[in-house]
Amino acid sequence: MKIEILYPDIANLFGEIGHVEFITKLFNDTEVIRTHITERPRFIDEDIDLVYMGPMAEKYQLQIIEKWLPIKNEIKNKIESGVHFLFIGNAMEVLYDYIEDDNGNKNYALGIFPYYAKQQMMDRINCIYHGKYQDIEVVGFKTQFTFAHRTNGEVPYLFENIRGYGMDKESLGEGIHYKNFMGTYLIGPLLIMNPDFTLDFMKNFVENPKLKYYDEMKEAFNIRVKEFKDKKTTL
């Protein structure tokens, strides 16, 4: 199992350092590659089983876009070929058509997914989230400065909303699930908070996956679902 962690020194907001450590311990005999912003992504030239990138400050999005524009076709080809990606928070926005800032300026991105992100930097969006992945319940938190709006085209959502905002206030779903690309604004961290989803995710790489401390994680998940259902608002 070979995992590439993209830019852990800058794409690490909201507890994602712990999330990364959890991911790297999910599988036996794992080779972990930590790629710096100055380096060419290894998944472009090598066979990587899972490519991960976490949320980051908005200025780093622009740096990554600049780095990736010359290789956007290679990145798109890797997604189309079925390489597994897991992008958390605003990481997936670098693959949108563009990111629009508060002044209406459009920062054009890689144009792989038909969305644009509209920033509202003076009004952070926070909510609890309860949804479904196929028949698996999922919970998490959202804290972001953007809503994502469709441009010209559609890609499947990752989660079906039960409670909380989707990609924007009107969306029925949250995140992107295209072939083996998974992207979501949910933090939590996602895999630690959702043991059944994590087990299903692990099936992409190993047969009959085992999750250490599953019972304790499931108990915490059940408590959290009850708390989310009891709350009167999404905030």
Side-chain angles (χ1 to χ4, degrees), residues 143-160:
T143 180
Q144 58 203 77
F145 286 115
T146 55
F147 274 127
H149 308 279
R150 291 192 190 275
T151 51
N152 186 20
E154 292 190 10
V155 291
Y157 294 121
L158 179 57
F159 303 126
E160 174 188 350

Side-chain angles (χ1 to χ4, degrees), residues 77-164:
N77 289 339
K78 290 294 183 177
I79 293 172
E80 292 291 342
S81 69
V83 174
H84 289 270
F85 291 80
L86 180 61
F87 279 24
I88 301 295
N90 63 0
M92 59 183 172
E93 292 179 359
V94 304
L95 305 178
Y96 290 178
D97 287 331
Y98 60 90
I99 301 170
E100 183 177 333
D101 66 23
D102 280 331
N103 297 318
N105 300 312
K106 295 180 180 179
N107 296 293
Y108 286 94
L110 271 67
I112 293 175
F113 294 126
Y115 279 97
Y116 75 93
K118 179 68 175 73
Q119 293 178 350
Q120 45 187 72
M121 299 302 294
M122 301 302 292
D123 186 15
R124 182 185 287 274
I125 302 154
N126 297 302
C127 78
I128 59 175
Y129 183 85
H130 183 200
K132 291 183 69 175
Y133 173 76
Q134 300 174 4
D135 60 346
I136 300 171
E137 286 189 273
V138 173
V139 295
F141 300 96
K142 304 187 77 172
T143 180
Q144 58 203 77
F145 286 115
T146 55
F147 274 127
H149 308 279
R150 291 192 190 275
T151 51
N152 186 20
E154 292 190 10
V155 291
Y157 294 121
L158 179 57
F159 303 126
E160 174 188 350
N161 299 345
I162 296 175
R163 185 176 187 187

Side-chain angles (χ1 to χ4, degrees), residues 36-213:
H36 190 271
I37 185 65
T38 61
E39 298 173 322
R40 178 178 171 89
R42 296 272 289 273
F43 72 86
I44 296 297
D45 305 307
E46 301 178 23
D47 291 331
I48 303 291
D49 296 296
L50 174 63
V51 182
Y52 169 90
M53 187 160 69
M56 68 203 75
E58 286 70 22
K59 64 180 180 180
Y60 295 129
Q61 289 179 299
L62 302 183
Q63 290 183 27
I64 292 171
I65 290 169
E66 182 180 5
K67 290 281 187 181
W68 283 9
L69 278 173
I71 57 171
K72 70 176 182 179
N73 289 333
E74 288 96 324
I75 294 171
K76 184 175 182 179
N77 289 339
K78 290 294 183 177
I79 293 172
E80 292 291 342
S81 69
V83 174
H84 289 270
F85 291 80
L86 180 61
F87 279 24
I88 301 295
N90 63 0
M92 59 183 172
E93 292 179 359
V94 304
L95 305 178
Y96 290 178
D97 287 331
Y98 60 90
I99 301 170
E100 183 177 333
D101 66 23
D102 280 331
N103 297 318
N105 300 312
K106 295 180 180 179
N107 296 293
Y108 286 94
L110 271 67
I112 293 175
F113 294 126
Y115 279 97
Y116 75 93
K118 179 68 175 73
Q119 293 178 350
Q120 45 187 72
M121 299 302 294
M122 301 302 292
D123 186 15
R124 182 185 287 274
I125 302 154
N126 297 302
C127 78
I128 59 175
Y129 183 85
H130 183 200
K132 291 183 69 175
Y133 173 76
Q134 300 174 4
D135 60 346
I136 300 171
E137 286 189 273
V138 173
V139 295
F141 300 96
K142 304 187 77 172
T143 180
Q144 58 203 77
F145 286 115
T146 55
F147 274 127
H149 308 279
R150 291 192 190 275
T151 51
N152 186 20
E154 292 190 10
V155 291
Y157 294 121
L158 179 57
F159 303 126
E160 174 188 350
N161 299 345
I162 296 175
R163 185 176 187 187
Y165 298 136
M167 297 294 271
D168 60 29
K169 290 183 178 180
E170 288 74 41
S171 297
L172 300 178
E174 203 285 329
I176 291 173
H177 190 189
Y178 178 75
K179 297 192 174 181
N180 289 326
F181 179 94
M182 289 184 174
T184 176
Y185 286 106
L186 293 193
I187 59 172
L190 175 69
L191 296 182
I192 297 174
M193 289 179 64
N194 296 282
D196 290 323
F197 174 78
T198 300
L199 280 174
D200 189 84
F201 179 73
M202 292 172 69
K203 290 177 183 177
N204 291 302
F205 311 101
V206 296
E207 295 183 7
N208 302 315
K210 305 295 182 183
L211 187 56
K212 193 175 182 180
Y213 303 119

Side-chain angles (χ1 to χ4, degrees), residues 195 213-225:
Y213 303 119
Y214 171 84
D215 291 340
E216 292 82 355
M217 294 169 69
K218 183 65 174 180
E219 181 180 1
F221 172 86
N222 290 334
I223 293 170
R224 190 167 286 113
V225 168

